[in-house]
Amino acid sequence: MKNKIFTLSLILILTVLVSVFFIKYVNQKSNFDDPIIAIPTNASIIYKSKNWNSSWKELEKSDLWLNITKSDKWKELRSNINNLKNLIKSQNFLTQIENNQNLYISIHDSADNFEFLLSTPANNIELLDLIDTSKFQIKYKIRLYDNIKIYEFNNINFCIHKNILFFSSSYFLVENSIRQLNNNLSLLNNVSFRKLQLTESKFSNNHIYINYKKLYKLIKENYKININKTLLNNWAEWTELDIKVNKDNMLFSGLTLLKDSSNNYLSTLINQKPQHILIDKILPNNTESFSVIGISDYKNYYEKYKSFLSKKNNLYKHEKWVDKINEKYNISIENIFISMIENEICHVNTNSKTNNGNGENYIVLKTPKETLQIFDFLNKKISDDLFNENYRNFNIKKLNISEIISTMLGPLFHSVDENYYCWIDGYIIFANSPSELKTFINNIIAKKTLSNNIYYQNFYENISLKCNFLYYSNPG
């Protein structure tokens, strides 16, 4: 009952705000400030709607969006926006306010959850005037922060400052916004970020900005996902994504900002020609996610990867490992990988629950069949006791050099340590156990692969034929 009263109160408040705002809006023609300047710069994710009436409808039609936003926090946000929209529709003179109106929703990590801040244009409106002119008797509290009034209604903190209306259940976020506005600090002070803004597609009303420096904590505290903190924090600076929404999928396309050309992991792909990704023809039908790097020159990739490690003060550890392996087995492990890696390097996770509920992980490399001879040569140098099992006419073996995959390929490929492998149709597949490879082989023989999956085919039809990095996720 309390929740219903709270929701109704909030809806009435927002309706009053929007009503009076519209009346004053049509009588004034001055320009709005971009409401992104009120978004705290520590946002992990920023959602932008250019026309929040039509764009919200698009999102609500997507089963994937509804699945992603199942948490209580998301339900609260979705419910309030949807109910507010319904009330606006009931008032004909308010419907214009929904169109051509920018809305930003920023997501910030908190101690054990995450918080939202919503920001949208306003135009010289005093919040107290809205309350005084309303026909509703609303109890509110007023407090000052940095000489700016914050109005609190049922634990929602509202403020209008510098022609922007922003509100959140977190008063810390609202105070942060005020502090930024008073000091003329915002994301727009970042010249590179402003350039990234210009890449927004005019054909999409939905956009997402991702701040990689703040993303790990948000994911770690709210989702049961195993993720490499160092890799994510150093993946890039920002990404802008345009969203194409369908009922069964959401497609993201955009650009990523690298502040320093060698300080982010994605810098390893500079000067690499986009590749035609064909790896889906052997990936299991139950693949939950995969990340594939398409490269035209592994040697160039590896040199840039070492530059990245140098920037992160990790190159010494890497080279020490390489020198140790080379000296111990009288080989050049770097030259071996340069000779065997072709144009696709992939990490795969399936939704199989045999691995303590974490699925099965594979590393898949496009490589010539001669690689098997190289591995046999290496194994003979390492040990006389070699694992070798024939399963359904596929040879399963083990490369007995620990950490070789993650060291030579990068942190994106750290999930396989045991290095059991087999070669299938132009690819060498690494797994943590023979049983996982057998599962992989069974899928190949039964033709239960992604390329034969009708849902994946729908996804594939909407992406570029060639790329340097492709990420696929099927959380359902």
Side-chain angles (χ1 to χ4, degrees):
M1 185 66 183
K2 289 183 178 179
N3 288 336
K4 290 183 179 180
I5 295 173
F6 167 77
T7 301
L8 180 60
S9 299
L10 178 59
I11 292 171
L12 292 176
I13 293 164
L14 291 177
T15 304
V16 172
L17 294 179
V18 175
S19 300
V20 181
F21 163 70
F22 177 76
I23 294 170
K24 294 199 174 188
Y25 170 82
V26 296
N27 290 317
Q28 299 181 36
K29 295 185 179 181
S30 59
N31 293 326
F32 291 133
D33 288 319
D34 188 340
I36 199 173
I37 65 175
I39 298 297
T41 57
N42 66 348
S44 300
I45 299 173
I46 301 172
Y47 163 75
K48 177 184 179 181
S49 164
K50 290 181 180 177
N51 182 329
W52 67 276
N53 179 28
S54 60
S55 58
W56 198 258
K57 287 180 180 178
E58 289 179 15
L59 289 174
E60 292 296 285
K61 290 179 181 179
S62 169
D63 291 339
L64 180 58
W65 167 256
L66 297 177
N67 186 46
I68 293 173
T69 58
K70 288 191 298 187
S71 72
D72 291 339
K73 275 284 184 181
W74 278 107
K75 286 179 181 178
E76 178 184 337
L77 177 70
R78 289 174 56 245
S79 176
N80 287 335
I81 290 180
N82 286 331
N83 287 330
L84 173 60
K85 284 170 59 62
N86 291 334
L87 284 178
I88 289 175
K89 287 179 182 179
S90 68
Q91 305 296 324
N92 292 331
F93 74 98
L94 286 178
T95 55
Q96 297 180 51
I97 201 65
E98 292 183 295
N99 301 317
N100 302 316
Q101 181 80 344
N102 284 346
L103 172 70
Y104 288 93
I105 303 175
S106 59
I107 305 175
H108 308 255
D109 68 79
S110 61
D112 56 357
N113 208 319
F114 56 91
E115 299 289 350
F116 295 97
L117 183 132
L118 283 78
S119 174
T120 194
N123 193 21
N124 300 321
I125 301 173
E126 290 293 337
L127 200 54
L128 189 58
D129 290 343
L130 300 185
I131 299 170
D132 289 342
T133 57
S134 73
K135 297 180 181 179
F136 303 100
Q137 293 183 350
I138 302 174
K139 293 183 179 180
Y140 59 89
K141 298 178 182 178
I142 300 177
R143 58 188 177 85
L144 287 177
Y145 180 79
D146 210 1
N147 294 319
I148 302 299
K149 292 179 180 178
I150 299 175
Y151 298 85
E152 182 182 343
F153 316 95
N154 292 321
N155 297 319
I156 302 295
N157 302 276
F158 290 83
C159 184
I160 292 182
H161 187 34
K162 293 193 174 182
N163 297 336
I164 299 170
L165 167 65
F166 48 97
F167 54 95
S168 172
S169 60
S170 168
Y171 61 85
F172 289 114
L173 288 181
V174 173
E175 290 177 354
N176 199 347
S177 296
I178 292 172
R179 188 164 57 249
Q180 281 190 187
L181 291 170
N182 283 349
N183 289 283
N184 295 317
L185 299 173
S186 75
L187 291 169
L188 298 186
N189 294 122
N190 185 323
V191 176
S192 297
F193 182 84
R194 295 186 70 170
K195 290 180 179 179
L196 191 65
Q197 268 194 311
L198 297 176
T199 67
E200 288 182 1
S201 170
K202 296 180 180 179
F203 302 101
S204 175
N205 285 326
N206 294 294
H207 308 274
I208 285 181
Y209 288 87
I210 300 173
N211 181 356
Y212 291 98
K213 298 297 182 184
K214 302 295 181 181
L215 188 59
Y216 174 78
K217 188 176 179 182
L218 178 73
I219 295 175
K220 185 69 174 177
E221 293 180 350
N222 294 282
Y223 297 97
K224 295 180 180 180
I225 300 176
N226 293 323
I227 193 163
N228 188 312
K229 178 180 180 180
T230 301
L231 175 63
L232 188 61
N233 287 346
N234 295 295
W235 184 257
E237 297 296 322
W238 284 87
T239 288
E240 185 279 321
L241 297 171
D242 308 314
I243 311 174
K244 182 179 179 181
V245 182
N246 296 314
K247 180 176 174 57
D248 298 319
N249 57 57
M250 297 174 68
L251 298 175
F252 301 86
S253 62
L255 290 178
T256 295
L257 175 67
L258 303 180
K259 186 175 181 180
D260 185 319
S261 62
S262 62
N263 200 38
N264 302 118
Y265 181 74
L266 284 184
S267 64
T268 58
L269 300 179
I270 294 176
N271 297 327
Q272 298 285 345
K273 296 179 182 178
Q275 300 296 301
H276 195 177
I277 304 301
L278 300 172
I279 205 167
D280 54 2
K281 69 179 182 179
I282 68 163
L283 297 187
N285 183 58
N286 65 337
T287 294
E288 187 170 82
S289 66
F290 72 77
S291 304
V292 59
I293 289 177
I295 56 175
S296 55
D297 184 351
Y298 172 77
K299 183 177 181 180
N300 182 275
Y301 164 84
Y302 181 65
E303 289 301 320
K304 284 187 169 59
Y305 173 57
K306 289 197 295 184
S307 295
F308 166 74
L309 292 177
S310 178
K311 283 282 186 177
K312 300 302 175 183
N313 297 318
N314 290 322
L315 182 59
Y316 173 77
K317 179 182 178 181
H318 174 87
E319 293 188 330
K320 185 178 180 180
W321 182 92
V322 170
D323 291 341
K324 177 183 176 181
I325 295 298
N326 288 343
E327 181 178 355
K328 184 175 181 179
Y329 303 116
N330 191 26
I331 60 174
S332 173
I333 194 66
E334 293 173 312
N335 288 337
I336 288 174
F337 268 74
I338 289 171
S339 67
M340 64 177 255
I341 299 292
E342 293 187 350
N343 67 331
E344 294 174 86
I345 308 173
C346 183
H347 168 257
V348 186
N349 179 258
T350 70
N351 60 13
S352 171
K353 301 309 176 185
T354 59
N355 186 23
N356 296 322
N358 295 320
E360 296 170 334
N361 289 285
Y362 303 93
I363 304 299
V364 184
L365 312 178
K366 185 75 169 69
T367 182
K369 194 169 185 178
E370 289 73 20
T371 299
L372 296 177
Q373 298 175 11
I374 296 175
F375 283 1
D376 286 343
F377 170 77
L378 285 177
N379 278 329
K380 289 178 181 178
K381 283 179 168 288
I382 296 168
S383 173
D384 294 327
D385 184 20
L386 301 177
F387 180 88
N388 190 352
E389 179 180 352
N390 185 281
Y391 178 74
R392 304 185 75 174
N393 294 324
F394 290 92
N395 287 324
I396 298 176
K397 298 184 179 182
K398 183 176 182 180
L399 182 59
N400 293 296
I401 302 178
S402 62
E403 302 179 353
I404 188 171
I405 301 299
S406 59
T407 301
M408 298 307 299
L409 300 181
L412 185 63
F413 309 98
H414 72 285
S415 60
V416 174
D417 298 318
E418 295 301 320
N419 302 334
Y420 290 92
Y421 67 89
C422 67
W423 190 88
I424 303 175
D425 196 17
Y427 295 87
I428 194 161
I429 298 95
F430 290 93
N432 283 312
S433 69
S435 63
E436 291 180 1
L437 280 177
K438 291 175 183 179
T439 300
F440 199 103
I441 291 170
N442 289 337
N443 279 290
I444 292 290
I445 294 175
K447 297 183 179 181
K448 293 182 178 180
T449 63
L450 270 185
S451 60
N452 293 325
N453 184 312
I454 187 171
Y455 298 107
Y456 177 82
Q457 291 172 4
N458 292 334
F459 161 80
Y460 190 79
E461 289 174 357
N462 291 280
I463 63 175
S464 174
L465 292 178
K466 293 184 177 182
C467 63
N468 289 120
F469 178 78
L470 175 64
Y471 176 76
Y472 166 82
S473 177
N474 179 17

